[in-house]
Amino acid sequence: MEKQYKHPLIDAIRSRNETEIVNILDDAVVGRERSKEKDKHQRCPLFYGIIMKYNYRKVLRKIINYHPNIVKEKDRWGDYKLFTALRHNCNDFELISKLVEVFPTACNELDSQHLYAFSVAIMIKKKPQAASTNVIKLILEHSNVENVCKCFILNWSPIAYALKYLIPSLSIEIFLILVNNSPIEFLMESDIENVPPIRRVLSQTCKWKSDCEQALVLQTLIEKSNGLIRFDEEDNYGRTMVHCAALYKVGVKVMNVLIDANPKMLIQRDHEGRLPLHLALRAYILLYKSTHMNAPIRKCMYTYH
């Protein structure tokens, strides 16, 4: 008959018996012994504590303090505790901070899905249990930024993924880090939806926190591209980037960035013979039936005409 092994701390954590957990961990000798035990799946108390979202100060900190090297061990899938925490308990900044403090090297290691910690953090950013901006900043501080900016996330480059999904939630600081450290080809090539980054910045106008932030990211993207962006390139309807900007109802600052980059786009017509000004007036007047809403765009367009 197979021998049955008992793991008091693991059993208490899995059954949420907080009284028993406290009794075990408060006893230094017993707590130290039980904190390093593993079940038949080679899972330790810290692993279960993380995935069951136990309070860091009451439980997880004590386990880590008893055996800091547990943080450096991989689970059966080949993941460090930092990756487990990001996927299951990403809002606990104290926990993430401790894991990074004990084993900062984990930020530059790939997990079982070939992702860096930064990639995991921004990948779950669009989910309800989104990692806080502070967590992402902390991980970036301990990461080789150039490497993490090259690591694809579900077939998206990090900058393309962020522009598609994370504009409302990521800080402008992180966007600028992504733009400044991404390979130039990532700033030029279209994503899996066939949209290049510069057009994605424009198409997501309604999601940016402010006109200033959108203009700053756009300006940085243009500068980082070293003049390789083809502003005269047209879409299937003959529209330049200024045409698209007008359709997306961008603000004056964003429009000025585009016009300063290539003023000739103002006089280019699409396949229907329309100038960007025509689309700007149509987008603001016909759609919203309000003249005051299109005043900034009209002022910008008339100034350059």
Side-chain angles (χ1 to χ4, degrees), residues 10 32-39 41-48 50 63-64 66-85 99 102-106 109-112:
I10 290 178
R32 185 172 289 105
E33 182 65 27
R34 296 304 182 190
S35 294
K36 66 180 181 180
E37 63 187 11
K38 296 181 180 179
D39 64 10
H41 301 295
Q42 294 301 302
R43 296 169 179 166
C44 63
L46 181 58
F47 173 85
Y48 285 109
I50 290 173
I63 296 175
I64 295 173
Y66 280 138
H67 294 285
N69 284 335
I70 291 178
V71 172
K72 302 178 182 180
E73 295 178 359
K74 294 182 178 182
D75 60 26
R76 63 187 301 189
W77 296 283
D79 292 336
Y80 292 110
K81 302 300 183 292
L82 175 60
F83 293 97
T84 304
L99 294 174
V102 174
F103 190 44
T105 305
E109 298 284 342
L110 294 172
D111 71 352
S112 56

Side-chain angles (χ1 to χ4, degrees), residues 81-149:
K81 302 300 183 292
L82 175 60
F83 293 97
T84 304
L86 286 172
R87 287 193 168 92
H88 296 276
N89 206 356
C90 55
N91 278 323
D92 194 333
F93 182 71
E94 286 185 303
L95 170 61
I96 303 293
S97 297
K98 185 65 174 179
L99 294 174
V100 172
E101 175 191 331
V102 174
F103 190 44
T105 305
C107 294
N108 291 301
E109 298 284 342
L110 294 172
D111 71 352
S112 56
Q113 298 180 26
H114 303 288
L115 296 171
Y116 287 104
F118 173 74
S119 307
V120 175
I122 69 169
M123 185 173 69
I124 62 176
K125 185 69 177 172
K126 67 174 183 173
K127 296 184 179 180
Q129 71 276 21
S132 69
T133 299
N134 287 335
V135 166
I136 295 174
K137 285 182 179 178
L138 173 68
I139 291 173
L140 266 181
E141 289 171 3
H142 292 83
S143 300
N144 182 319
V145 180
E146 290 188 3
N147 282 345
V148 300
C149 287

Side-chain angles (χ1 to χ4, degrees), residues 136-185:
I136 295 174
K137 285 182 179 178
L138 173 68
I139 291 173
L140 266 181
E141 289 171 3
H142 292 83
S143 300
N144 182 319
V145 180
E146 290 188 3
N147 282 345
V148 300
C149 287
K150 296 176 184 177
C151 182
F152 276 78
I153 305 168
L154 304 176
N155 294 322
W156 294 77
S157 68
I159 182 61
Y161 188 91
L163 289 172
K164 170 66 176 180
Y165 296 110
L166 307 177
I167 287 176
S169 52
L170 278 189
S171 68
I172 184 66
E173 178 185 354
I174 294 175
F175 268 110
L176 293 179
I177 289 174
L178 285 171
V179 173
N180 284 316
N181 290 280
S182 293
I184 234 176
E185 58 266 26

Side-chain angles (χ1 to χ4, degrees), residues 263-281:
K264 292 181 180 180
M265 288 189 289
L266 282 172
I267 59 175
Q268 286 184 242
R269 297 178 182 271
D270 62 16
H271 292 338
E272 295 183 17
R274 295 174 298 187
L275 295 169
L277 177 60
H278 299 141
L279 298 183
L281 294 174

Side-chain angles (χ1 to χ4, degrees), residues 52-68:
M52 297 185 73
K53 297 180 173 60
Y54 271 87
N55 182 278
Y56 169 72
R57 295 185 182 182
K58 290 182 178 179
V59 177
L60 303 179
R61 179 170 60 181
K62 294 180 179 179
I63 296 175
I64 295 173
N65 287 340
Y66 280 138
H67 294 285

Side-chain angles (χ1 to χ4, degrees), residues 237-274:
Y237 302 96
R239 297 168 182 164
T240 66
M241 290 181 190
V242 173
H243 280 97
C244 294
L247 284 173
Y248 294 131
K249 303 177 287 298
V250 302
V252 173
K253 293 181 179 179
V254 176
M255 187 65 79
N256 276 333
V257 170
L258 286 174
I259 294 172
D260 289 342
N262 190 337
K264 292 181 180 180
M265 288 189 289
L266 282 172
I267 59 175
Q268 286 184 242
R269 297 178 182 271
D270 62 16
H271 292 338
E272 295 183 17
R274 295 174 298 187

